[in-house]
């Protein structure tokens, strides 16, 4: 039994996801972009757990463990990249890093 | 007030707080404050997990997010000396457009939530089964270490790779040049060339 | 004995291989010794074979290996040893050896010494294979190979613009002839079904009977090739320019051996030519015309080597004239004697150039005889031989050649007149050259004149040896019509006899002709003496008699300018048109496509901002659109 209904949890997850996505899209500071990505993952986690409880399936909760693993790995590597980048470019503003430009 | 209403109220508080903190994460100027807002998000999310009877994940989120990831963020900020409030423009020029698209996407999610994807086959792990295992932690352990042991171990490989990668990426380059006997031939030639070039530019420098 | 014939081409080839591989780094000056050894070996084996075959000059063949088999066509590398080949071999190897010895001295200070002595044995090898071939295709391969060596050696001093231009000119002009030769070769393959000499010769009468006229076409096509290689009008233009090469090369390749390949080839194919009177007439007329034509140009040239070059063209013309009237023996006889005295004259001119510090203009020489007596004496011997003074080599062969022409019928009178005029002019320009170079008051600056010196022994000894040849070589043809060379080559040119082209002259005729020849030569020398020694009349006043004619001769009948304007200019104009078409039409289309792609790409490039958040925004937008589509579909 799930209180309140599953839809509320899903909307909460969607809200966190969208806020995180907006953070990625609008912030210039690379650190905050990374935090926004964590928000996206949290939104996904809420959705997983909500479904797991609603559908009586522990797989959803087990999957969150993996999601946490990914989040941790991503944070470690991402922050290392930020450190390396700040040494080279002296900036953390995303829109100033455009060496991919064709 | 029955328990259902109470639980709904608690959910409403936790959900609103989550959203509010999340908005703070992406709105605040100071990255340190953003990180603290993220901690707020994680704590309230842990509450939501408890509401869902997923106690282990609640604890894991607090430990891993608040205790590890966000601390790592703070460490990085200190390492890079970015604690000062940046006066520079914080938001990208595409912000208005992004907000519109985000709003549309959110609306679509809500529509989909109400319409299509909430149906699914019921699994075997009913609350009774969970209780029979001795609680959420034991039940999760049963699933994770019996049915999904291999993916779990693979996840450990991923973490190891991430640790190694992070160290390699963030490692300081050696400041002092190595002696020529330790260099490769190409490196040595390149250095000689550099030296010759600087000498050429500044003849006053002693050889 | 004949089994050792493979040594003749092999020894120069080995010398070439050694010098080519090791010359630059290791052998350096020693390349000269190796090249000389290789050519000397070829000479010795040639002489041995010649002596061994003296009694019976039957054609013999030595099979080496099968080069290629295709269907029922097998290309065997077979060396042919018969009288004609042996005569050619003797001429080629002996003159080559003299030139090799001479070159050691002449090229002594040249930085390309090893390169020179790599090319030279290669040429000797190719020339030997050319005359020893028993198969038209092998002949063609080495025909091209000697052309390649000629190209390499004309352009030996390739740093000089004029030398590389001359090399290209020689190559291109020869290419025109070679196309004709190749057509002839393919026609023979088509008609005869074989390229083997003996098979072709034995089939020739059958073919002529079955398909009248085809032999004429084949012979004319082969003759086009001979015209290119042997510098006959109108393909003679490359030979004077070929004098840009080192003088020993001029002596060996562009006087004594390679340019005679055309004469050799026509003589070799005498069984075919005698069956086509049209082809014979063409050969004779082209030869006679070239002989006179080149001799007139030779009168006015001032570059000592160019005079000799035109003289060579003229003498080759005489040889073709003899071939054309069926006097094959006389032509080969003249070829042999000419190789000696023209080689001598070229080497002598090289000695003069060497001794005067690279002076080639005869108008700035004079009085050199006292300074270089050996060169001068041998040069005069060569000049007398060339003019046809009894009893030197040129006299016997030229006399026989003119006699055969005169006896050959109605056309023979015209040919004889042309040939006799050419002989007269030959004597004139030869002695003009000798007088201008060696006699009279010097026209050199005193300071330079004092530096004039005789060449070293290594250069003068070959001159002396060749001078002996220029004196003595004619005696293989004495008495006329019954000499050693006539008996030796008799069987080779039997076909001419069968065709009724051989006319045995009476003794009175022979003696009368000798007298006429001598008078002609002496008259020429006298004219030269009067104009260029006594200066009465002075050369300028002679030239003033007919200024347009003089200008015509000085400018070589404007033939080079004509080719330049019409052929080169036409090609250049056509090239310009094509270039315009290419630049504006073809490139225009291509560029248009390129511009369109570039424009589109430039537009698309704007999308690639390189900024992460733009890409992320695209992803979000895409997700929103996909979901919107999904929702629409779900309705």
């Amino acid at each position: 039994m799930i209180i309140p209904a599953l839809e509320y949890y899903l909307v909460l997850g969607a809200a966190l996801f969208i806020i995180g996505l907006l953070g990625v899209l609008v912030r210039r500071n690379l650190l905050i972009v990374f935090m926004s990505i964590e928000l996206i993952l949290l939104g996904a986690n809420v959705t997983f757990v909500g479904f797991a409880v609603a559908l009586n399936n522990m797989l959803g909760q087990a999957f969150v463990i993996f999601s946490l693993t990914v989040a941790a790995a991503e944070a470690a590597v991402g922050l290392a990249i930020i450190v390396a980048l700040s040494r080279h470019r002296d900036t953390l503003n995303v829109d100033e890093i455009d060496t991919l430009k064709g | 007030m029955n328990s259902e209403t109470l639980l709904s109220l608690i959910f409403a508080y936790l959900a609103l707080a989550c959203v509010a903190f999340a908005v703070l994460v992406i709105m605040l100027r100071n990255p340190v404050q953003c990180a603290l807002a993220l901690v707020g998000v994680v704590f309230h999310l842990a509450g939501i997990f408890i509401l869902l009877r997923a106690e282990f994940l609640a604890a894991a989120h607090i430990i891993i997010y608040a205790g590890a990831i966000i601390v790592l963020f703070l460490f990085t900020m200190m390492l890079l000396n970015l604690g000062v409030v940046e006066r520079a423009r914080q938001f990208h020029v595409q912000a208005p457009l992004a907000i519109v698209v985000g709003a549309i996407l959110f609306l679509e999610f809500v529509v989909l939530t109400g319409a299509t994807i909430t149906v699914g086959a019921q699994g075997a792990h009913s609350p009774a089964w969970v209780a029979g295992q001795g609680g959420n932690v034991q039940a999760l352990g049963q699933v994770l270490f019996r049915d999904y042991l291999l993916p779990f171990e693979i996840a450990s490989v991923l973490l190891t790779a991430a640790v190694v990668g992070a160290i390699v990426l963030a490692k300081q380059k050696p400041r002092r040049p190595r002696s020529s006997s330790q260099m490769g031939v190409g490196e040595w030639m390149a250095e000689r060339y550099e030296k010759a070039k600087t000498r050429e530019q500044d003849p006053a420098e002693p050889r | 004995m004949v089994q050792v014939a493979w040594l003749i081409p092999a020894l120069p080839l080995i010398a070439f291989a050694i010098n080519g591989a090791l010359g630059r780094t290791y052998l350096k000056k020693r390349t000269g010794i190796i090249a000389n050894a290789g050519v000397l070996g070829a000479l010795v084996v040639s002489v041995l074979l010649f002596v061994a075959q003296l009694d019976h000059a039957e054609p013999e063949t030595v099979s080496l290996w099968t080069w290629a088999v295709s269907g029922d066509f097998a290309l065997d590398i077979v060396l042919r040893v018969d009288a004609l080949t042996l005569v050619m071999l003797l001429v080629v190897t002996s003159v080559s050896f003299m030139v090799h010895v001479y070159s050691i001295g002449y090229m002594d200070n040249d930085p390309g010494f090893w390169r020179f002595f790599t090319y030279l044995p290669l040429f000797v090898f190719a020339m030997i294979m050319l005359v020893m071939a028993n198969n038209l295709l092998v002949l063609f391969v080495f025909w091209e190979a000697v052309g390649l060596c000629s190209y390499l050696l004309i352009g030996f001093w390739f740093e000089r613009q004029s030398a590389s231009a001359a090399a290209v000119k020689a190559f291109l002009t020869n290419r025109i002839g070679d196309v004709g030769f190749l057509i002839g070769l393919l026609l023979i393959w088509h008609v005869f079904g074989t390229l083997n000499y003996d098979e072709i010769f034995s089939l020739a009468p059958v073919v002529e009977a079955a398909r009248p006229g085809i032999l004429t076409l084949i012979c004319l096509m082969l003759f086009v090739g001979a015209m290119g290689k042997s510098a006959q009008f109108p393909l003679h233009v490359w030979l004077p320019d070929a004098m840009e090469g080192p003088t020993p090369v001029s002596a060996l390749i562009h006087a004594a051996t390679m340019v005679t390949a055309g004469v050799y080839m026509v003589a070799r194919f005498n069984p075919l030519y005698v069956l086509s009177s049209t082809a014979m007439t063409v050969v004779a007329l082209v030869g006679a015309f070239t002989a006179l034509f080149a001799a007139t140009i030779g009168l006015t040239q001032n570059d000592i080597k160019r005079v000799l070059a035109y003289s060579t063209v003229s003498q080759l013309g005489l040889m073709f004239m003899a071939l054309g009237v069926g006097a094959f023996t006389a032509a080969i006889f003249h070829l042999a004697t000419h190789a000696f005295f023209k080689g001598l004259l070229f080497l002598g001119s090289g000695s003069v150039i060497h001794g005067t510090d690279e002076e080639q203009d005869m108008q700035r020489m004079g009085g050199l005889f006292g300074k270089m007596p050996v060169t001068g004496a041998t040069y005069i011997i060569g000049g007398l031989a060339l003019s046809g003074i009894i009893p030197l080599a040129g006299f016997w062969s030229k006399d026989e050649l003119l006699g055969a022409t005169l006896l050959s019928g109605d056309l023979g009178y015209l040919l004889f007149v042309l040939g006799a005029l050419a002989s007269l002019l030959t004597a004139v320009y030869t002695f003009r050259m000798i007088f201008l170079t060696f006699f009279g008051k010097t026209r050199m600056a005193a300071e330079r004149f004092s530096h004039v010196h005789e060449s070293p022994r290594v250069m003068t000894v070959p001159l002396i040896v060749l001078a002996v040849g220029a004196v003595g070589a004619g005696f293989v043809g004495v008495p006329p019509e019954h000499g050693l060379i006539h008996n030796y080559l008799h069987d080779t040119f039997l076909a001419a006899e069968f065709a009724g082209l051989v006319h045995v002259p009476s003794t009175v005729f022979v003696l009368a002709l000798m007298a006429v020849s001598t008078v002609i030569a002496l008259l020429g020398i006298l004219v030269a003496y009067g104009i260029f020694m006594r200066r009465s009349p002075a050369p300028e006043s002679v030239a003033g008699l007919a200024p347009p004619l003089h200008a015509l001769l000085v400018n070589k009948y404007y033939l080079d300018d004509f080719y330049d304007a019409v052929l080169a200019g036409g090609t250049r104009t056509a090239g310009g048109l094509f270039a315009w078409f290419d630049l504006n039409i073809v490139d225009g289309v291509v560029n248009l496509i390129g511009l369109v792609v570039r424009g589109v790409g430039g537009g698309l490039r704007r999308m690639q901002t390189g900024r992460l958040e733009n890409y992320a925004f695209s992803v979000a937008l895409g997700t929103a659109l996909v979901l919107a589509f999904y929702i629409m579909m779900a309705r």
Side-chain angles (χ1 to χ4, degrees):
Chain A
M1 191 56 214
I2 179 166
I3 298 169
L6 174 61
E7 282 82 358
Y8 292 95
Y9 292 94
L10 295 186
V11 171
L12 173 62
L16 285 176
F17 178 90
I18 294 296
I19 292 167
L21 178 68
L22 285 177
V24 170
L25 293 185
V26 305
R27 291 304 298 250
R28 297 174 73 222
N29 190 318
L30 202 53
L31 274 167
I32 295 171
V33 169
F34 266 93
M35 291 184 207
S36 304
I37 294 174
E38 303 297 347
L39 279 180
I40 292 176
L41 286 169
L42 287 176
N45 287 354
V46 175
T47 312
F48 274 129
V49 179
F51 270 114
V53 174
L55 298 178
N56 282 335
N57 194 335
M58 287 303 273
L59 177 55
Q61 294 197 30
F63 210 89
V64 173
I65 300 287
F66 298 121
S67 167
L68 278 172
T69 317
V70 169
E74 174 248 313
V77 175
L79 289 171
I81 288 174
I82 288 177
V83 169
L85 193 68
S86 71
R87 286 209 198 105
H88 280 284
R89 302 292 298 258
D90 217 22
T91 181
L92 285 183
N93 284 348
V94 188
D95 52 2
E96 288 168 35
I97 302 163
D98 56 358
T99 40
L100 273 177
K101 189 171 184 168
Chain B
M1 184 184 278
N2 57 17
S3 66
E4 204 167 309
T5 321
L6 185 67
L7 285 175
S8 296
L9 279 176
I10 293 170
F11 174 82
Y13 161 71
L14 289 172
L16 286 175
C18 260
V19 171
F21 276 117
V23 170
L24 281 179
V25 168
I26 67 164
M27 293 296 287
L28 287 170
R29 300 181 76 84
N30 190 331
V32 178
Q33 293 170 358
C34 291
L36 291 178
L38 191 57
V39 175
V41 175
V42 172
F43 268 100
H44 287 87
L45 209 58
I48 297 232
F49 287 157
I50 291 171
L51 212 57
L52 283 167
R53 298 287 173 86
E55 294 91 352
F56 177 76
L57 288 182
H61 268 73
I62 289 172
I63 294 167
I64 293 175
Y65 269 98
I69 296 178
I70 293 168
V71 169
L72 191 59
F73 271 99
L74 292 170
F75 267 121
T76 310
M77 287 171 213
M78 284 188 284
L79 191 68
L80 299 179
N81 204 13
L82 289 173
V84 285
V85 179
E86 289 190 25
R87 293 265 169 249
R89 188 166 53 85
Q90 289 293 314
F91 296 100
H92 198 267
V93 281
Q94 68 179 3
L97 215 57
I99 289 167
V100 172
V101 171
I104 293 171
L105 209 51
F106 182 65
L107 220 66
E108 285 171 347
F109 281 159
V110 173
V111 169
L112 288 172
T113 303
T116 45
I117 56 168
T118 50
V119 289
Q122 287 288 314
H125 309 125
S126 61
W129 180 83
V130 174
Q133 296 298 320
N136 172 260
V137 180
Q138 286 86 343
L140 190 56
Q142 282 290 337
V143 174
L144 204 56
F145 294 115
R146 206 182 55 206
D147 301 342
Y148 299 105
L149 183 60
L150 186 64
F152 186 78
E153 293 296 341
I154 292 174
S156 71
V157 175
L158 174 71
L159 279 172
T160 313
V163 169
V164 173
I167 291 171
V168 169
L169 280 170
K171 201 175 71 171
Q172 285 262 344
K173 290 277 183 297
R175 290 257 179 247
R176 260 179 6 158
R178 286 172 294 162
S179 73
S180 56
S181 61
Q182 286 169 290
M183 290 181 190
V185 175
E187 214 178 328
W188 180 69
M189 296 282 285
E191 191 183 79
R192 255 176 41 138
Y193 174 70
E194 284 298 322
K195 273 183 192 162
K197 224 167 56 177
T198 45
R199 269 207 299 274
E200 210 169 278
Q201 284 159 357
D202 184 13
E205 189 190 356
R207 300 202 166 187
Chain C
M1 189 63 205
V2 76
Q3 292 307 316
V4 299
W6 62 273
L7 276 173
I8 302 173
L11 291 172
L13 181 64
I14 291 167
F16 157 72
I18 293 173
N19 284 351
L22 303 174
R24 185 199 191 111
T25 49
Y26 178 63
L27 290 170
K28 298 190 174 81
K29 277 292 162 72
R30 279 166 286 188
T31 51
I33 297 162
I34 295 197
N36 273 283
V39 176
L40 179 63
L43 171 62
V44 168
V45 179
S46 300
V47 171
L48 288 177
L49 271 186
F50 185 81
V51 172
Q53 303 282 87
L54 207 50
D55 303 329
H56 61 104
E58 292 291 309
E60 294 200 47
T61 53
V62 184
S63 294
L64 294 187
W65 74 90
T66 301
W67 187 10
V69 179
S70 170
D72 52 357
F73 172 72
L75 182 56
D76 296 315
I77 302 291
V78 176
L79 298 181
R80 182 186 181 92
V81 181
D82 67 0
L84 182 57
T85 297
L86 282 169
V87 170
M88 289 299 290
L89 278 180
L90 272 189
V91 172
V92 169
T93 51
S94 54
V95 176
S96 294
F97 179 60
M98 286 304 123
V99 171
H100 273 73
V101 174
Y102 177 91
S103 299
I104 291 180
Y106 191 83
M107 299 301 286
D108 192 34
N109 293 322
D110 198 287
F113 189 87
W114 73 272
R115 199 157 49 89
F116 190 78
F117 277 104
T118 305
Y119 292 159
L120 224 47
L122 177 66
F123 165 76
V124 175
F125 162 71
M127 191 67 204
I128 287 172
M129 285 303 290
L130 192 157
V131 298
M132 291 186 89
N134 191 34
N135 180 307
L136 200 52
L137 194 61
V138 177
L139 173 73
F140 183 68
V141 168
F142 288 98
W143 184 273
E144 296 293 327
V146 293
L148 170 72
C149 293
S150 166
Y151 167 81
L152 290 173
L153 286 163
I154 294 170
F156 185 75
W157 289 314
F158 53 81
E159 305 90 342
R160 280 191 9 216
Q161 169 89 50
S162 58
S164 53
V168 171
K169 185 175 181 180
F171 208 68
L172 288 180
T173 313
N174 267 304
R175 199 54 50 288
I176 297 169
D178 291 343
V179 170
F181 190 77
L182 196 58
I183 294 172
L185 188 152
L186 294 173
L187 271 175
I188 286 183
W189 170 244
H190 178 69
V191 175
F192 290 84
T194 178
L195 294 173
N196 186 288
Y197 288 167
D198 291 324
E199 292 171 24
I200 295 172
F201 298 157
S202 59
L203 280 173
V206 185
V207 167
E208 175 61 13
R211 302 176 67 172
I214 192 81
L215 274 186
T216 303
L217 185 61
I218 289 171
C219 289
L220 286 177
M221 281 304 158
L222 291 181
F223 181 56
V224 170
M227 280 161 71
K229 187 103 333 193
S230 294
Q232 294 301 289
F233 179 87
L235 297 181
H236 66 279
V237 287
W238 65 271
L239 189 58
D241 285 14
M243 299 303 131
E244 287 289 344
T247 305
V249 170
S250 306
L252 177 60
I253 300 184
H254 304 120
T257 56
M258 186 195 84
V259 289
T260 64
V263 178
Y264 163 78
M265 194 265 287
V266 173
R268 170 61 79 195
F269 282 87
N270 67 84
L272 262 57
Y273 277 89
V274 295
L275 292 175
S276 167
S277 58
T278 316
M280 291 288 269
T281 310
V282 170
V283 172
L285 281 175
V286 168
F289 177 73
T290 306
L292 183 59
F293 171 83
T296 54
I297 299 177
L299 285 175
T300 56
Q301 297 301 305
N302 284 325
D303 184 321
I304 186 166
K305 285 178 71 182
R306 274 177 184 264
V307 176
L308 289 172
Y310 280 107
S311 166
T312 303
V313 174
S314 172
Q315 297 298 310
L316 289 167
L318 287 181
M319 293 176 211
F320 277 110
M321 186 178 81
L323 293 173
V325 298
F328 296 105
T329 310
I332 295 297
F333 184 23
H334 195 55
L335 186 160
T337 56
H338 174 260
F340 285 102
F341 60 71
K342 190 53 68 64
L344 166 63
L345 285 172
F346 261 111
L347 293 186
S349 74
S351 178
V352 169
I353 293 166
H354 193 75
T356 56
D357 193 23
E358 309 302 317
E359 182 59 80
Q360 296 202 16
D361 189 346
M362 296 189 300
Q363 298 296 350
R364 286 184 295 205
M365 293 181 187
L368 295 179
F369 191 85
K371 288 277 186 179
M372 29 179 61
V374 180
T375 305
T378 53
Y379 205 88
I380 291 168
I381 292 174
L384 289 170
L386 174 59
S387 307
I389 297 295
I390 195 165
L392 301 179
F395 169 77
W396 301 107
S397 55
K398 195 187 285 184
D399 188 54
E400 180 170 333
L401 182 153
L402 287 174
T405 312
L406 191 55
L407 284 174
S408 67
D410 298 337
L411 191 65
Y413 301 117
L414 170 67
L415 295 174
F416 177 78
V417 171
L418 290 174
L421 269 175
S423 297
L424 175 69
L425 294 179
T426 302
V428 176
Y429 68 66
T430 306
F431 276 85
R432 167 179 179 264
M433 179 166 65
I434 288 172
F435 291 139
L436 283 179
T437 307
F438 290 105
F439 297 100
K441 221 167 126 25
T442 186
R443 291 175 297 282
M444 294 180 90
E447 203 267 334
R448 280 191 71 185
F449 187 68
S450 66
H451 287 152
V452 173
H453 56 85
E454 180 61 281
S455 299
R457 184 89 44 94
V458 72
M459 286 165 72
T460 52
V461 168
L463 290 179
I464 293 166
V465 173
L466 283 175
V468 171
V471 173
F475 288 102
V476 300
V478 179
E481 306 297 335
H482 301 290
L484 176 66
I485 193 165
H486 302 95
N487 298 331
Y488 198 67
L489 288 173
H490 180 262
D491 291 349
T492 311
F493 298 129
L494 265 183
E497 206 163 300
F498 290 148
L501 289 168
V502 175
H503 312 277
V504 180
S506 62
T507 314
V508 178
F509 177 85
V510 170
L511 290 176
L513 194 67
M514 280 183 175
V516 171
S517 275
T518 310
V519 168
I520 288 175
L522 287 176
L523 185 67
I525 295 171
L526 218 61
V527 169
Y529 181 78
I531 298 177
F532 297 103
M533 280 297 283
R534 296 273 307 279
R535 298 185 69 79
S536 60
E540 295 75 21
S541 60
V542 176
L545 287 177
L549 183 65
H550 186 251
L552 197 63
L553 294 182
V554 168
N555 291 297
K556 307 160 228 165
Y557 293 95
Y558 296 101
L559 211 59
D560 279 310
D561 307 83
F562 174 76
Y563 285 162
D564 203 38
V566 175
L567 299 182
T571 310
R572 226 173 276 137
T573 311
L577 282 175
F578 284 127
W580 180 87
F581 185 80
D582 189 52
L583 280 177
N584 291 292
I585 309 295
V586 178
D587 284 9
V589 172
V590 175
N591 285 345
L592 188 67
I593 296 170
L595 280 175
V596 169
V597 171
R598 208 164 92 183
V600 173
L604 289 175
R605 184 168 162 268
R606 299 258 161 84
M607 296 177 67
Q608 298 293 324
T609 56
R611 290 178 186 169
L612 203 58
E613 62 276 16
N614 293 145
Y615 298 141
F617 177 74
S618 309
V619 174
L621 187 64
T623 313
L625 289 177
V626 169
L627 284 181
F629 179 73
Y630 181 76
I631 292 166
M632 300 285 178
M633 295 305 289
R635 281 281 150 80

